């Protein structure tokens, strides 16, 4: 099925008392499936956390970045997502071959587990990283809503949609995040609550156009303040892994060269393999010994 381009729309609404992020990221999720060979429950969970990454990334500026880590001691193990402010996101689960799907749903909670934490780590390009940690229930939208309330004192509504086809491709993925700004009146809150309660279930909602979704929430009282392309993007490179190999030291690298004649390193985030042959390893050893002189 031909998909439209992935996109994040930022909106101010209801007399600037509300901000919203509307995300369509089906291609992002299909790229994650392709790279990690995700089975449906893994797709549902990682897809939704990638959606949270892209929407929360949209709240950042410049070269700020964030990492989302979930571990509830479930079958998927760690669920890790990195996002930047420009719509780029990457992520993985420890165990991608997890599937509990049936007619009743994906059973995210069985994949994530319900005994553990969501960590949100923000790199705002200040001296220290900002880290918040909350206990999770395994319901991703609910857990992030709780995170925003606990850690950012912001009242937030989150809707996450994902649909997977029988051939294990993602048919539809999207997210909607709505936040009350500090000036929101009780009238606006009541209005928004009633509009939200009228919305169809998530996968039906995201079959509608973005205009229809925004109009059904805000009528005409909204303006689009930004619209940007988003994608699955891993900035890893052979040079980056070469630098981490240097930290092993000349002795260790020489042993690896003589015993294995090669080093293969897999990037966790995108599953790409970087191959270092004997010549590459010799070059690294040379760099270390030259530095010591
Ligand atoms: Zn990578």
């Amino acid at each position: 099925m031909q998909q439209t381009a992935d996109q994040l729309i930022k909106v101010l609404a209801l007399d600037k008392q509300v901000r919203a992020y509307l995300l369509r990221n089906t291609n992002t999720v299909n790229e994650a499936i392709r790279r990690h060979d995700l089975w449906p429950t893994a797709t549902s969970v990682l897809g939704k956390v990638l959606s949270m990454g892209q929407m929360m990334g949209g709240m950042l500026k410049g070269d700020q970045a964030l990492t989302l880590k979930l571990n509830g001691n479930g079958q998927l193990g760690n669920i890790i997502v990195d996002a930047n402010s420009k719509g780029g996101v990457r992520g993985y689960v420890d165990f991608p071959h997890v599937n509990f799907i049936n007619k009743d749903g994906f059973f995210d909670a069985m994949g994530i587990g319900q005994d553990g934490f969501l960590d949100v780590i923000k790199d705002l390009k200040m001296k220290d990283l900002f880290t918040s940690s909350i206990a999770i229930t395994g319901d991703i939208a609910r857990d992030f809503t709780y995170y925003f309330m606990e850690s950012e004192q912001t009242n937030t509504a989150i809707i996450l949609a994902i649909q997977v086809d029988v051939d294990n491709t993602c048919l539809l993925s999207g997210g909607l995040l709505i936040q009350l700004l500090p000036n929101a009146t009780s009238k606006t809150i009541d209005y928004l609550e009633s509009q939200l309660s009228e919305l169809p279930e998530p996968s039906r909602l995201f079959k509608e156009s973005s205009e229809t979704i925004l109009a059904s929430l805000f009528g005409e009282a909204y303006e689009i303040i930004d619209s940007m392309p988003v994608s699955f993007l891993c900035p890893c490179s052979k040079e980056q892994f070469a630098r981490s190999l240097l930290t092993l030291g000349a002795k260790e690298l020489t042993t690896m060269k003589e015993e294995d004649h090669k080093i293969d390193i897999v990037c966790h985030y995108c599953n790409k393999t970087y191959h270092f042959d004997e010549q590459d390893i010799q070059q690294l050893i040379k760099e270390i010994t030259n530095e010591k002189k």
Side-chain angles (χ1 to χ4, degrees):
M1 200 165 91
Q2 193 61 36
Q3 289 294 340
T4 48
D6 289 2
Q7 189 184 41
L8 178 66
I9 298 174
K10 302 180 195 176
V11 168
L12 266 182
L14 304 174
D15 225 5
K16 297 193 168 80
Q17 296 176 37
V18 170
R19 69 171 177 175
Y21 298 81
L22 178 59
L23 171 74
R24 293 181 184 276
N25 64 343
T26 307
N27 299 301
T28 297
V29 175
N30 275 315
E31 187 63 19
I33 294 173
R34 194 181 69 75
R35 292 189 187 234
H36 294 298
D37 190 28
L38 304 171
W39 289 8
T41 297
T43 300
S44 171
V45 169
L46 184 58
K48 287 170 186 170
V49 182
L50 288 167
S51 296
M52 287 310 305
Q54 281 171 325
M55 291 193 288
M56 292 170 74
M59 299 173 182
L60 301 174
K61 295 185 185 76
D63 56 356
Q64 295 176 344
L66 61 83
T67 298
L68 307 174
K69 269 190 200 178
L70 278 91
N71 191 324
N73 284 300
Q75 304 238 353
L76 294 164
N78 286 297
I79 301 135
I80 312 276
V81 165
D82 269 2
N84 64 32
S85 72
K86 299 171 186 77
V89 76
R90 61 178 186 169
Y92 66 92
V93 296
D94 284 343
F95 304 103
H97 292 172
V98 175
N99 187 25
F100 301 112
I101 194 173
N102 73 11
K103 64 178 175 42
D104 297 319
F106 292 108
F107 298 100
D108 290 353
M110 287 169 74
I112 300 167
Q114 295 172 289
D115 173 27
F117 293 90
L118 159 66
D119 297 324
V120 177
I121 302 138
K122 287 189 186 174
D123 181 359
L124 302 178
K125 300 295 162 191
M126 291 152 98
K127 202 166 139 253
D128 297 311
L129 299 176
F130 291 83
T131 303
S132 312
S133 194
I134 60 147
I136 54 173
T137 65
D139 179 328
I140 297 166
R142 195 166 118 192
D143 291 340
F144 275 93
T145 301
Y146 184 69
Y147 157 79
F148 279 110
M149 184 49 91
E150 279 297 297
S151 298
E152 305 196 7
Q153 289 74 49
T154 309
N155 215 324
T156 307
I158 296 170
I159 297 171
L160 297 169
I162 204 155
Q163 262 194 323
V164 179
D165 206 353
V166 283
D167 68 355
N168 204 19
T169 55
C170 179
L171 289 172
L172 176 155
S173 175
L176 179 62
L177 188 154
I178 302 169
Q179 291 191 318
L180 294 174
L181 296 173
N183 59 334
T185 63
S186 57
K187 200 174 140 213
T188 296
I189 296 169
D190 290 347
Y191 169 81
L192 199 55
E193 272 176 4
S194 113
Q195 297 307 98
L196 281 166
S197 69
E198 302 277 312
L199 292 179
E201 54 102 17
S203 54
R204 262 184 55 214
L205 176 70
F206 277 88
K207 290 207 172 78
E208 305 289 346
S209 71
S210 301
E211 291 73 23
T212 307
I213 296 173
L214 292 171
S216 63
L217 279 166
F218 308 126
E220 288 182 2
Y222 74 88
E223 55 170 327
I224 292 175
I225 53 169
D226 194 12
S227 170
M228 65 179 194
V230 298
S231 63
F232 189 104
L233 185 77
C234 188
C236 67
S237 64
K238 191 166 179 180
E239 291 68 37
Q240 173 202 331
F241 287 106
R243 279 198 300 277
S244 62
L245 284 176
L246 289 175
T247 63
L248 292 175
K251 198 173 155 221
E252 178 71 23
L253 286 172
T254 306
T255 311
M256 290 168 100
K257 184 175 90 113
E258 280 162 10
E259 285 177 5
D260 305 324
H261 313 288
K262 67 179 174 78
I263 303 171
D264 286 322
I265 307 184
V266 179
C267 174
H268 281 306
Y269 282 97
C270 66
N271 220 18
K272 189 171 171 180
T273 304
Y274 289 94
H275 179 75
F276 293 83
D277 60 18
E278 270 184 272
Q279 243 183 336
D280 293 330
I281 304 169
Q282 186 53 45
Q283 184 60 35
L284 294 172
I285 295 166
K286 214 172 112 189
E287 270 182 54
I288 296 171
T289 32
N290 283 349
E291 242 168 54
K292 275 185 183 155
K293 279 177 190 163

